[in-house]
Amino acid sequence: MSAFLRQVAYFRHITKAGFALLLTLGLLSGCAQNPYTSTTAQSGPLTALNQALASQDPKLIAPAQMQYAATLKGPAQADMQMRALETAIDAEAFTLANTLYAQANTQALWPTVSARRAQLLTGFEQWQQGASSMARDTVNNLPIPLTSDEAKRRLILLAAIDEAEKRPIDAARQRSALNELLTGAAADSNRAKLWNDLSSADINQLSDEAKQATNANFADWIGLALVYRTRPGELNTWINNHPNHPAVTSGFTALLLSRSDTAATIPLPTGQGPVIVLVPLSGDYQPVGQAISDGINFAHDRLGMASDRSVQIQDSGSTLASFTQALTAALAANPSVIIGPLLKEQIPALANLPANAPPVIALNTPAEGTSLPAGVVSYSLSPNADARAAADQMIHDQKMTALVYCADNSLGHRICDAFSREYTLLGGQILDSALFDPNATDFSSQLRRLLEVTSSRNGPFQPRIRQDTQGIFLGATSQQVRMIVPQLDYFGADQLPRYSVGMVYSGTPNPLADQDKSGLVIPVEPVLLAANEGPNGPMRPNYERASLSQLPRLFAFGADALMIAANLQPLLAHQVINGLTGQLSLSLTGEIERKPAWGQFRQGLLQPMEGTDSGYIPSTVVDYSSKQAEGNPTVALPQEDSITPDSGDGTATDTQPVGSESTDSDTTKAVPTFTDGGGMAPPPASVAPTNDTAPMAN
């Protein structure tokens, strides 16, 4: 399970306004039957009522009923006024119903006509007067038995009250029950509102409700919403595993797929135009752009990717204006594919692509709260995705209780939130968490509290830690981890499993610098683990070439960007390709989802370990079966027979490996920190030499 959420950019949820576009709704189809015919000359109100009934528009029918009621007397008038209000309520035209209620003058007779109908209308009036809690009790506590219409109306009012009071999960629960009583257009309308409720609910509350819901249909509605908002690429899996759920049998999920599948708007390359790469080749981001360019050239020249087309690499600059200019020039060259931009702030330029534009592979994700432009693929090495993968791995390893320790900055917060949300979604329990000063070197005070360290008062310091935690997640950089892990060991957590994100590893083996990361488990690009393969290992030649770059992660990132461009057709057909950075697939939202390899630091070297498994995902979220992998072909990465290192490609820079805020060699300059799949932190004005010695806590 990787992305309900994972999106954000985008289709991570549907807003109420957006979902309104999904459905064309008709209401009260039963109004076609006309009980008000007459063999005599019809009066004006009766004629108007019959005309309204013929329109099947409840907003016309309800006022016509109220006008016709004025021609009646006694209980008949009271009944018709009640019907007018009920027509508006059933259509959820509550403003109209409130207006009609003010016109009614037979309320005293309503209980004699029908006590339950009168009680429902009383509850409606209480709600309109602002007494929501009283109204909810009045509507909820109807005496039974209820007619079918009364049962529907009760649930409509309860859902509407909950929605008005900002209780979307409670409202969705009412609408799930209501869905079983409705048919046709009314059911379609209700499902749209149910979905809007689930889409607006807090995702952590949805996760909690998924574990507690007792009604199977409602639990599965929540599961569908969680999959759609966090892992849209698994929507088809959910559908296949829930063939009898109303969301499937009604065609709702088919509509959801057709409307949400951003990937469906992605064109295939046409013609023999060049692949044009737009990355920064000057300024602060030049080392990053160069490493990516080298990886792209390697994939083209040595791995044969897109070998039928030329590759042109152009400087995009580091601003929105410079990329826009470069994009205009690139489109004029009639390219078959465009790769770029690299920087998050440049992605908005893609919103203005012409209708006949070629496919574009952005090397980043959109800004928070914005969606990916139509026809664009997003590929990144996001620490957020790594954090979610770490949560998956901990659950796979049966570490069901965890501590969380992250840097107190924007990146640390995003990593912490991504991990925490995924971990709890999968059924894990976070016992405690803390944020640390990114510039700190002594973490003893916080670690003592987080680990609940105790020791005997007499004799040497022999710490004991809490026994209820099964692992700890560290949202930190390479240098921070090198200081935190030894202090964990000092306080007695040397046997506590610890997990982190891929940016703690530069990609270049350095036993001296990494010896203080002992035991740490991280997601890692498979090519970087090939250092442990023998000379005949299948990925070894690719590793040897990547290792020549000072930024091997980004070298592999560039190579896979071209691999994605060359394999868009199988990706759009939901196939998986094996790349240097992991197993790559295309989600419904147009994002490349990456399944990494896994490594653990031992004696200063990152050693391969068993990968992740999604089998522990709760059935209310995704119901996996042993047959899931069947019929899921992969496109294998071609291997070289031999590779001759090319020392003249510009990869031998003296810059800091991206993905780490600390240097692993004696350098005095650092490139901007790689924070989000090509999204860079603002470049520092100056960077002082870094001391790699990790101080121990006293």
Side-chain angles (χ1 to χ4, degrees):
M1 190 178 166
S2 160
F4 264 77
L5 323 347
R6 289 190 197 290
Q7 295 49 79
V8 290
Y10 93 103
F11 275 95
R12 284 280 167 219
H13 63 279
I14 301 178
T15 64
K16 291 186 177 181
F19 195 79
L21 300 175
L22 295 183
L23 298 170
T24 301
L25 303 174
L27 297 172
L28 293 181
S29 57
C31 291
Q33 297 180 353
N34 182 359
Y36 305 112
T37 57
S38 173
T39 58
T40 62
Q42 296 181 348
S43 66
L46 184 56
T47 299
L49 178 56
N50 278 297
Q51 291 173 347
L53 288 168
S55 74
Q56 299 192 27
D57 184 348
K59 293 182 181 179
L60 297 177
I61 296 170
Q65 287 173 320
M66 185 61 73
Q67 292 174 5
Y68 179 65
T71 68
L72 305 174
K73 296 183 182 296
Q77 183 184 36
D79 178 70
M80 186 56 60
Q81 288 186 348
M82 293 172 74
R83 287 179 183 273
L85 288 166
E86 290 164 349
T87 297
I89 290 172
D90 290 350
E92 302 197 34
F94 299 121
T95 300
L96 173 61
N98 192 38
T99 300
L100 296 176
Y101 193 97
Q103 298 173 8
N105 58 4
T106 60
Q107 286 88 336
L109 294 176
W110 290 358
T112 62
V113 175
S114 171
R116 290 190 300 269
R117 290 171 64 195
Q119 184 170 329
L120 279 168
L121 294 178
T122 298
F124 170 75
E125 180 193 23
Q126 291 169 339
W127 173 41
Q128 293 299 299
Q129 295 299 319
S132 297
S133 179
M134 182 184 298
R136 200 177 196 286
D137 289 341
T138 299
V139 173
N140 198 40
N141 296 323
L142 281 180
I144 56 175
L146 303 181
T147 67
S148 174
D149 286 342
E150 290 165 353
K152 295 174 189 175
R153 203 164 295 127
R154 170 181 171 273
L155 291 171
I156 287 172
L157 285 174
L158 288 175
I161 293 170
D162 284 333
E163 285 161 354
E165 295 297 304
K166 307 299 182 184
R167 293 191 294 264
I169 295 179
D170 291 336
R173 185 182 295 106
Q174 307 295 351
R175 293 199 178 278
S176 176
L178 177 60
N179 188 71
E180 299 177 16
L181 304 178
L182 299 176
T183 59
D188 292 339
S189 173
N190 181 67
R191 277 189 291 270
K193 294 181 175 71
L194 188 164
W195 189 252
N196 286 336
D197 289 332
L198 294 176
S199 298
S200 64
D202 179 82
I203 198 165
N204 292 320
Q205 293 177 354
L206 278 180
S207 300
D208 292 340
E209 185 65 30
K211 304 169 189 174
Q212 302 170 10
T214 55
N215 180 276
N217 271 345
F218 181 54
D220 286 339
W221 273 113
I222 295 175
L224 175 61
L226 287 170
V227 168
Y228 187 84
R229 290 174 61 177
T230 63
R231 302 177 181 282
E234 297 177 357
L235 190 53
N236 275 315
T237 300
W238 190 95
I239 293 171
N240 292 335
N241 290 329
H242 300 82
N244 298 319
H245 190 265
V248 179
T249 57
S250 67
F252 179 84
T253 50
L255 180 62
L256 203 60
L257 278 170
S258 67
R259 296 292 184 177
S260 66
D261 193 350
T262 301
T265 67
I266 297 169
L268 289 171
T270 58
Q272 296 299 311
V275 176
I276 296 183
V277 182
L278 302 177
V279 291
L281 297 177
S282 58
D284 290 303
Y285 297 103
Q286 185 276 334
V288 177
Q290 188 63 58
I292 293 172
S293 299
D294 293 338
I296 288 174
N297 284 329
F298 171 75
H300 182 261
D301 299 338
R302 303 296 180 85
L303 300 182
M305 294 297 164
S307 58
D308 58 335
R309 299 175 176 87
S310 65
V311 171
Q312 299 177 12
I313 300 176
Q314 301 174 10
D315 187 2
S316 68
S318 57
T319 66
L320 177 59
S322 63
F323 177 79
T324 301
Q325 184 177 2
L327 178 62
T328 300
L331 289 170
N334 295 318
S336 57
V337 181
I338 293 176
I339 297 178
L342 176 66
L343 305 182
K344 191 181 292 287
E345 56 266 29
Q346 295 174 330
I347 288 183
L350 300 178
N352 300 318
L353 288 170
N356 61 346
V360 176
I361 301 169
L363 302 178
N364 209 319
T365 58
E368 188 71 22
T370 63
S371 60
L372 197 64
V376 176
V377 174
S378 171
Y379 172 47
S380 70
L381 298 180
S382 168
N384 293 8
D386 276 3
R388 292 189 292 267
D392 293 350
Q393 179 68 20
M394 288 187 72
I395 297 298
H396 169 258
D397 292 343
Q398 291 290 283
K399 313 304 180 191
M400 305 303 295
T401 57
L403 303 174
V404 179
Y405 197 42
C406 295
D408 190 7
N409 55 23
S410 59
L411 175 61
H413 293 173
R414 293 199 305 273
I415 291 174
C416 181
D417 290 346
F419 172 84
S420 300
R421 182 175 297 171
E422 183 85 354
Y423 187 73
T424 55
L425 175 64
L426 299 184
Q429 180 184 3
I430 295 176
L431 301 175
D432 201 356
S433 62
L435 298 171
F436 62 83
D437 181 351
N439 298 315
T441 58
D442 183 358
F443 307 93
S444 57
S445 177
Q446 286 182 313
L447 290 180
R448 279 180 179 272
R449 183 195 65 78
L450 200 60
L451 296 168
E452 296 182 356
V453 177
T454 59
S455 179
S456 60
R457 294 179 179 270
N458 302 318
F461 180 57
Q462 295 181 332
R464 294 184 296 274
I465 65 169
R466 60 193 301 166
Q467 298 299 303
D468 56 349
T469 184
Q470 297 174 335
I472 185 170
F473 173 75
L474 305 176
T477 64
S478 178
Q479 182 174 344
Q480 291 161 352
V481 161
R482 286 202 295 268
M483 292 184 284
I484 293 171
V485 169
Q487 293 182 46
L488 283 173
D489 295 343
Y490 176 78
F491 285 117
D494 51 306
Q495 298 301 313
L496 182 67
R498 64 281 306 258
Y499 299 76
S500 190
V501 291
M503 70 179 185
V504 305
Y505 182 54
S506 71
T508 301
N510 192 332
L512 181 62
D514 291 337
Q515 63 181 341
D516 288 328
K517 300 175 184 176
S518 178
L520 193 67
V521 175
I522 65 168
V524 64
E525 294 72 16
V527 68
L528 301 184
L529 288 176
N532 301 281
E533 293 181 353
N536 297 322
M539 193 75 82
R540 180 73 186 198
N542 301 324
Y543 165 75
E544 290 176 349
R545 179 59 188 86
S547 67
L548 296 177
S549 172
Q550 288 291 315
L551 307 175
R553 292 186 75 216
L554 289 185
F555 180 93
F557 179 62
D560 278 1
L562 188 64
M563 185 177 301
I564 291 165
N567 288 283
L568 273 178
Q569 186 165 1
L571 285 168
L572 287 167
H574 306 294
Q575 296 182 23
V576 176
I577 63 174
N578 294 320
L580 302 185
T581 62
Q583 290 185 337
L584 308 176
S585 60
L586 184 63
S587 77
L588 293 174
T589 59
E591 295 176 317
I592 294 294
E593 296 185 341
R594 180 176 66 94
K595 184 176 182 180
W598 288 88
Q600 184 175 40
F601 287 99
R602 304 189 192 103
Q603 297 179 337
L605 292 175
L606 189 64
Q607 304 288 345
M609 60 179 295
E610 183 181 357
T612 56
D613 186 312
S614 299
Y616 293 100
I617 296 172
S619 60
T620 55
V621 180
V622 177
D623 185 10
Y624 283 88
S625 69
S626 60
K627 296 183 179 181
Q628 180 184 358
E630 295 180 7
N632 186 23
T634 61
V635 179
L637 172 70
Q639 303 295 334
E640 295 182 281
D641 295 330
S642 63
I643 292 181
T644 303
D646 180 2
S647 60
D649 60 5
T651 61
T653 68
D654 61 351
T655 55
Q656 168 189 338
V658 172
S660 168
E661 290 184 355
S662 63
T663 57
D664 291 331
S665 60
D666 294 331
T667 65
T668 58
K669 180 182 178 183
V671 297
T673 304
F674 185 73
T675 60
D676 190 4
M680 310 299 167
S686 63
V687 180
T690 305
N691 186 344
D692 280 340
T693 304
M696 290 291 292
N698 293 326

